[in-house]
Amino acid sequence: MKFLKKKYIKDIKNISGIFCHNINSDTTKKIVDFYKVTPFPNYQGLENKFSFLKVIKCNPFLNDLKKTIGFNKTFIEVGSGTSQLSISMAIGTNNLIVAMDPTFESLSLGKSFAKKNKINNVIFLNADIFDDIIEDNYFDFVWCSGVLHHTINSKKGFEVISRWVKPDGIIIIGVYNKIGRLLTNFRQLIYKLLGKTKFAKKLIFIMDPHLNKDLSSEQKQAWFRDQYEHPVERKHSFDEVIEWFNENEINYLGSVPSLDFDLKQINYMQGNIGTYFQRLCAQISILFSNLGREGGLFIVIGQKK
């Protein structure tokens, strides 16, 4: 547990193999209560190590990320939910992987899967970003996607997690985009105007492309609540995130979608932030991609100075 600040180690409790730190923030407690009901993104019940690896290989960015991480590295997923990504990054490696989330119930699902499939290099940590219990400059890779926009303050949350990555280490964040999330916002408005009734919910199930996929009922309910009933949600622009990077000594490397619409490997990203028009076009393009159909998330990659 060298990645924990020494002053917090005495406060950590081991509960069923999950290392737990008290959650103090009222906002975080509200979010924990929300995800207790339907842990996100949940499991279908048929997953195994091979199906996890298949998902990674079929996603060009995640496949490149796993290759870039390589071996004998440290990786933390901040806001891991049920920890599928952390587990996938651990399979077949000797890396130290930390899956961190404030919702114990979500981590329990990930812990159970890891134990069942004999994946032993993932540490499950139940904690809040803003308690800042992680050692500065410890991790080679910090991943935080779909999380900061659900916290009390996205910018402050980024300031905290940016301290955890080593100099020359990689930090990757994914947040809802102000333009890219407009399709989801439109469906949210319909759901609200129809009084969030059973009919409204059925209509959203028809309209939302992700809910028409072959998912378990638990996964569909988790997605619906996460996208349409979440108590805390914000959106951010590309330029906002670049400002966060600059203020926290992070060099911008690249993004998904990229500004030139050419997905490059992480090691070959050139850090060109382009013109305002290019950044605007990239954000508009989210609406017409899988990113827009699945919540309007955009990913930004940086390297600590």
Side-chain angles (χ1 to χ4, degrees):
M1 303 288 281
K2 293 181 180 179
F3 58 86
L4 293 175
K5 291 179 178 176
K6 292 180 180 179
K7 64 181 178 179
Y8 292 111
I9 291 177
K10 66 180 185 303
D11 301 324
I12 302 295
K13 298 177 181 178
N14 187 336
I15 302 176
S16 302
I18 298 173
F19 296 94
C20 302
H21 184 265
N22 287 336
I23 305 297
N24 300 307
S25 164
D26 289 338
T27 300
T28 305
K29 287 179 180 178
K30 182 190 297 185
I31 294 167
V32 167
D33 289 341
F34 176 80
Y35 282 120
K36 278 182 181 179
V37 179
T38 49
F40 185 81
N42 219 316
Y43 288 79
Q44 285 188 292
L46 302 174
E47 297 91 346
N48 55 42
K49 288 194 287 188
F50 301 105
S51 64
F52 272 32
L53 289 176
K54 183 178 180 181
V55 169
I56 296 296
K57 288 182 179 179
C58 290
N59 184 306
F61 180 73
L62 294 180
N63 189 46
D64 175 53
L65 174 61
K66 182 154 186 174
K67 289 179 180 178
T68 301
I69 294 171
F71 295 88
N72 200 31
K73 297 293 196 310
T74 52
F75 175 100
I76 184 169
E77 181 184 7
V78 185
S80 64
T82 50
S83 306
Q84 282 96 324
L85 179 71
S86 290
I87 292 169
S88 298
M89 292 299 155
I91 295 171
T93 78
N94 66 344
N95 297 319
L96 169 67
I97 308 292
V98 177
M100 174 181 166
D101 198 88
T103 305
F104 182 85
E105 288 76 6
S106 296
L107 290 174
S108 293
L109 292 175
K111 175 65 178 177
S112 177
F113 179 89
K115 183 178 180 180
K116 180 180 178 181
N117 288 273
K118 299 180 180 179
I119 302 165
N120 302 315
N121 54 326
V122 183
I123 294 175
F124 296 88
L125 177 63
N126 180 219
D128 182 9
I129 291 173
F130 294 93
D131 288 335
D132 195 13
I133 66 174
I134 303 295
E135 280 282 4
D136 293 351
N137 305 314
Y138 188 87
F139 286 94
D140 295 298
F141 293 84
V142 172
W143 169 284
C144 183
S145 183
V147 177
L148 293 175
H149 49 243
H150 288 319
T151 66
I152 191 170
N153 188 313
S154 305
K155 182 178 179 180
K156 292 292 184 183
F158 181 78
E159 289 176 7
V160 174
I161 67 172
S162 67
R163 294 196 290 267
W164 302 348
V165 65
K166 293 178 180 178
D168 295 325
I170 300 295
I171 183 167
I172 301 170
I173 67 166
V175 292
Y176 289 149
N177 184 260
K178 286 184 175 180
I179 298 174
R181 192 158 171 78
L182 289 176
L183 291 175
T184 300
N185 293 152
F186 175 68
R187 292 191 294 268
Q188 288 173 332
L189 180 61
I190 291 175
Y191 182 56
K192 183 177 180 180
L193 290 176
L194 292 177
K196 298 185 178 181
T197 60
K198 289 183 178 180
F199 169 76
K201 186 174 182 178
K202 288 181 180 179
L203 182 61
I204 298 302
F205 263 70
I206 295 171
M207 294 177 65
D208 189 316
H210 189 75
L211 291 171
N212 287 293
K213 291 184 176 181
D214 183 21
L215 303 172
S216 68
S217 59
E218 291 82 6
Q219 286 181 313
K220 288 184 176 182
Q221 289 300 325
W223 176 264
F224 178 84
R225 295 190 77 247
D226 186 69
Q227 296 296 305
Y228 300 101
E229 295 183 338
H230 205 290
V232 179
E233 178 181 308
R234 284 179 304 280
K235 300 184 294 181
H236 301 284
S237 70
F238 191 102
D239 286 22
E240 278 183 86
V241 175
I242 294 299
E243 182 181 334
W244 299 351
F245 276 36
N246 290 337
E247 291 178 358
N248 292 278
E249 301 294 309
I250 305 294
N251 286 322
Y252 166 77
L253 291 181
S255 63
V256 181
S258 64
L259 298 184
D260 57 7
F261 306 103
D262 179 22
L263 181 60
K264 297 179 177 66
Q265 294 179 342
I266 293 173
N267 288 331
Y268 293 96
M269 290 180 174
Q270 298 173 338
N272 177 19
I273 65 168
T275 65
Y276 175 79
F277 181 71
Q278 285 177 306
R279 296 193 294 274
L280 179 63
C281 288
Q283 291 171 98
I284 293 173
S285 75
I286 296 172
L287 292 168
F288 307 99
S289 69
N290 284 333
L291 293 172
R293 289 187 288 271
E294 298 187 359
L297 197 79
F298 75 120
I299 294 171
V300 189
I301 304 98
Q303 185 173 36
K304 194 167 187 177
K305 296 179 182 178

